[in-house]
Amino acid sequence: MALKDSEWVPVDELTPEPVLVTGQQPSPNTVTTTAGKQFQAANYSAFNLPKQPSNPNEMFATDRNGQPMPAQKADGGIDFKEAKEKQDLDGYFKMVTWPVTTNRDGSACTVSPEVYNPDQKGLVGIRDGMNSSDIERNISAGWTINSAFYKYDVPRPKDPTITNIQDDADGSLDASGSVYTSKLDPVVSGECTPSKDAAHPNKVVLYGEDPANPISDGQSQNGGDLVKIADTWGFRLGEIDCKVDPKSRQGGSWQIQDTNKQYPSPDPGNKYDGYRRYHAWEVESMSGFGLTSFFSNIGTAYFVSGENVPDASKFSVTVPHTINGSLPAGSVVTFKGEVSPVYTAWSAGKLGMTDSRMAISMKQNAASDWTPLLTTPANTFQRDAAVNTAPSVTDPASGLTLNLTKTAASTWSWTLNVPAGKFTGYDGSDQTQTYTFQVEMINPMNVRSRSASIERKIDMTPTALTLERYDVFQVAGKAYKYVDGDRKVPETKGTLVHITWPGGSGTDVVVGDEGSWQATPPEGINQGQFSAQVLSDDAEGPDAQGRFLGGNQSASVSHELDFRPSTSSLPLTGGWPLSVLRILLLMALGLVGFVACLRNRQESRH
């Protein structure tokens, strides 16, 4: 038998099954001469190769047909090299025999068969797949007559692996071997190779990195040199038995909690916005040597707290307005602000956390759902970027671009331009014209902060003016802030309509109830074309930040004024001849006298 992975197994190239050697004769021990003793030794002693063809005490390794086994050399020697390499053995061989005692006449002994004939009790030999306790029992029942070593190497246990650093959600390591966790005392777990002897379990020992003596860069070329550098092992956090686990690819599993209490000063322990690297090894106890495996892979835990709520006091919204009734081509609503993410990334992929992300959305107050505008991708906010660096990112879903400028060590100003065409559904009501813009920060664990928002009236619809009167005494009409076929919503009361008269003078009149407006042409305006226009429909004054941005300009409407006589030709204005005035006075006096005479005649009849 030989050791394979520190467990005794049959040697397939010599005696994979016990070989019963029969025919041996006991030495009579009757001779006294040296020559006689040599003769008895030659005839009655067991040899690996018979000294004489007739010697029944043959122990030559043969198969069932009497043919030598592959590692059995013809000269009686054993080719341990072939036996070791073909079966991948450790190199430690043990020759064991189980004596079978019979009566002198050859009949079996019936007293204590486990002693006189251990084969009757199944105590002879070992087999593949036999459990470790039965192997130890059978070896103890035999006699070890010799041992041999050929390049004997007690193999190390197989390296364990770290697969998970648990948090509230799944903590499986990503492709880089890291995981984000909100807990400063995470449970580190993985796979291992259990011992084949339950009485001597393999143990997994977990180490947390000592920042003052980082895990060696040679970890990727794991080997004996790394194990020898004790300074880089880190802090020992605990050990646990490798338990059998059918779901594990290595056959076993383990888990150890980093309680965050084992780190000696001056190490501050695990803390948010920091990280800890872990590695582990496995220790076997079955051989008695307490050999360790090489180290496992490195698992890195980044400790993540919640994100800060964005500062809404830094938000502003700029709204474009119509000129002469139309929005200029390419008009956008501009949303601006500042952001200071808790987590920022290294630009060159250095060890460290990825950055937090920023999500911007908007909602029409009359609607129920938010419309996503843009979410920054990973590594947008880089801690090593220089101040005044001005990157930009585009959201593939919305097509919108966020322009950034780094203004301080961890502060960026940002600008998002939203095309005017995204603001639809206006029906003349304030609810459909008012929008809320929202910003959230998302930490590396994909947990969102509370949102910050700003509400603004997005008024980009021009006033529609109509003319209802334009005679010599008055011009008048209606102003509508929304027109949809026959449905018309009056403009806000107080909006100014500017009238430009022939000759260039102007008059501002105020929109009244139901959107009505009216104006009287100034003195001396007798004919020509006038125009009416709303220069700004913003009757509400400054916005929330105290800035007056103006409003929408309507399209201009115009019409010809009809002819109107000069007021200098009217009576009593000095414009008529005196003779004409006299004639009019005489006619008036005559009419009064006629009325008086008529009344006197009617009274005389009575």
Side-chain angles (χ1 to χ4, degrees):
M1 63 186 65
L3 282 180
K4 180 180 176 66
D5 297 332
S6 299
E7 183 178 2
W8 292 110
V9 296
V11 180
D12 294 343
E13 304 300 303
L14 285 171
T15 53
E17 298 178 353
V19 177
L20 179 62
V21 181
T22 60
Q24 291 90 344
Q25 296 294 323
S27 172
N29 293 324
T30 56
V31 296
T32 57
T33 64
T34 300
K37 290 180 180 181
Q38 290 176 344
F39 173 81
Q40 285 185 346
N43 285 275
Y44 295 101
S45 296
F47 295 95
N48 196 48
L49 184 69
K51 290 291 186 179
Q52 298 177 10
S54 60
N55 185 357
N57 295 347
E58 181 179 328
M59 295 183 67
F60 197 68
T62 60
D63 59 19
R64 294 179 182 274
N65 299 319
Q67 298 300 313
M69 292 297 287
Q72 176 68 69
K73 299 170 68 173
D75 63 359
I78 295 175
D79 190 343
F80 289 109
K81 177 181 179 182
E82 180 175 358
K84 181 180 189 298
E85 293 178 351
K86 283 191 175 181
Q87 202 174 337
D88 195 24
L89 302 173
D90 297 349
Y92 178 12
F93 297 85
K94 182 183 288 189
M95 276 71 72
V96 182
T97 183
W98 289 265
V100 177
T101 304
T102 62
N103 294 319
R104 186 173 291 274
D105 60 5
S107 61
C109 293
T110 58
V111 179
S112 301
E114 67 276 8
V115 175
Y116 296 108
N117 192 355
D119 191 34
Q120 290 185 8
K121 292 293 185 177
L123 301 177
V124 172
I126 60 175
R127 302 181 302 277
D128 290 328
M130 180 180 285
N131 65 57
S132 57
S133 59
D134 289 345
I135 290 175
E136 293 294 336
R137 179 199 64 194
N138 283 16
I139 293 176
S140 298
W143 294 357
T144 300
I145 59 175
N146 207 341
S147 295
F149 299 90
Y150 177 77
K151 295 184 178 180
Y152 177 41
D153 176 31
V154 180
R156 292 178 177 274
K158 293 181 179 178
D159 306 345
T161 56
I162 296 175
T163 60
N164 194 288
I165 301 177
Q166 296 172 357
D167 190 57
D168 300 326
D170 176 44
S172 299
L173 303 188
D174 62 18
S176 69
S178 61
V179 67
Y180 296 108
T181 174
S182 64
K183 294 184 177 179
L184 298 179
D185 54 353
V187 174
V188 183
S189 60
E191 297 184 351
C192 55
T193 304
S195 172
K196 297 178 181 179
D197 182 359
H200 299 87
N202 290 350
K203 293 183 180 294
V204 176
V205 183
L206 177 67
Y207 293 88
E209 183 178 54
D210 177 2
N213 296 285
I215 296 172
S216 171
D217 291 337
Q219 176 72 54
S220 58
Q221 293 83 37
N222 204 349
D225 290 340
L226 179 63
V227 172
K228 293 175 184 177
I229 308 174
D231 287 346
T232 67
W233 294 358
F235 303 119
R236 190 176 188 276
L237 303 181
E239 71 175 29
I240 194 75
D241 288 352
C242 175
K243 299 183 181 298
V244 175
D245 184 351
K247 298 180 181 179
S248 167
R249 289 169 296 182
Q250 291 182 239
S253 61
W254 61 274
Q255 65 175 33
I256 298 173
Q257 183 175 20
D258 173 6
T259 63
N260 201 25
K261 297 178 180 178
Q262 298 98 316
Y263 300 109
S265 180
D267 187 284
N270 302 334
K271 59 181 180 178
Y272 290 120
D273 198 15
Y275 67 90
R276 180 75 64 179
R277 297 202 298 169
Y278 301 95
H279 61 176
W281 64 20
E282 192 164 331
V283 182
E284 61 84 34
S285 61
M286 191 168 65
S287 72
F289 296 109
L291 294 178
T292 67
S293 69
F294 294 129
F295 276 112
S296 69
N297 59 308
I298 298 173
T300 304
Y302 294 111
F303 304 108
V304 181
S305 64
E307 252 293 354
N308 294 330
V309 179
D311 185 357
S313 68
K314 305 291 186 180
F315 294 170
S316 68
V317 178
T318 304
V319 182
H321 296 295
T322 59
I323 298 175
N324 199 28
S326 300
L327 278 175
S331 292
V332 295
V333 173
T334 301
F335 184 26
K336 293 183 177 181
E338 277 188 4
V339 63
S340 297
V342 171
Y343 299 103
T344 53
W346 292 101
S347 60
K350 297 178 182 178
L351 183 63
M353 234 166 265
T354 187
D355 60 333
S356 296
R357 292 174 294 142
M358 181 173 71
I360 304 175
S361 56
M362 73 176 185
K363 182 173 77 71
Q364 187 184 46
N365 283 10
S368 57
D369 296 327
W370 290 90
T371 299
L373 296 178
L374 180 139
T375 300
T376 60
N379 301 329
T380 295
F381 302 107
Q382 297 176 358
R383 71 181 66 186
D384 53 346
V387 172
N388 295 323
T389 299
S392 64
V393 293
T394 300
D395 188 288
S398 67
L400 300 182
T401 297
L402 185 73
N403 294 304
L404 296 153
T405 300
K406 189 172 185 180
T407 57
S410 60
T411 302
W412 283 258
S413 64
W414 52 266
T415 301
L416 180 67
N417 292 324
V418 185
K422 285 189 175 290
F423 299 86
T424 59
Y426 176 54
D427 63 3
S429 67
D430 286 341
Q431 282 292 93
T432 56
Q433 201 173 44
T434 306
Y435 285 77
T436 300
F437 295 83
Q438 173 179 277
V439 179
E440 299 169 292
M441 296 304 296
I442 307 171
N443 73 10
M445 287 189 65
N446 207 34
V447 177
R448 293 175 178 255
S449 69
R450 288 187 292 110
S451 63
S453 62
I454 183 174
E455 184 181 275
R456 277 301 308 270
K457 185 177 180 181
I458 309 298
D459 179 8
M460 297 181 289
T461 305
T463 301
L465 286 179
T466 62
L467 295 175
E468 296 181 349
R469 183 174 178 177
Y470 34 84
D471 58 31
V472 294
F473 297 104
Q474 188 183 63
V475 294
K478 290 286 186 72
Y480 302 102
K481 64 180 180 180
Y482 178 78
V483 177
D484 182 15
D486 294 333
R487 181 170 178 265
K488 298 179 174 65
V489 179
E491 181 56 86
T492 304
K493 191 174 182 178
T495 298
L496 296 180
V497 178
H498 182 75
I499 313 298
T500 303
W501 303 107
S505 63
T507 300
D508 289 331
V509 294
V510 177
V511 172
D513 294 334
E514 300 302 319
S516 62
W517 59 272
Q518 58 190 20
T520 302
E523 292 291 335
I525 302 297
N526 297 318
Q527 60 182 353
Q529 190 177 63
F530 77 95
S531 64
Q533 187 177 31
V534 174
L535 300 181
S536 173
D537 65 358
D538 189 351
E540 300 177 1
D543 63 13
Q545 280 73 39
R547 298 165 301 185
F548 182 79
L549 304 177
N552 296 298
Q553 190 180 76
S554 73
S556 178
V557 294
S558 60
H559 204 280
E560 282 285 333
L561 282 175
D562 292 338
F563 170 74
R564 181 178 181 186
S566 174
T567 55
S568 63
S569 300
L570 293 176
L572 306 178
T573 63
W576 284 11
L578 184 58
S579 59
V580 176
L581 181 59
R582 290 173 179 172
I583 293 172
L584 289 176
L585 287 174
L586 290 174
M587 289 176 64
L589 290 173
L591 179 60
V592 171
F594 174 76
V595 172
C597 290
L598 182 61
R599 180 177 298 175
N600 290 335
R601 287 184 63 185
Q602 289 176 345
E603 291 176 352
S604 64
R605 290 177 182 178
H606 295 288

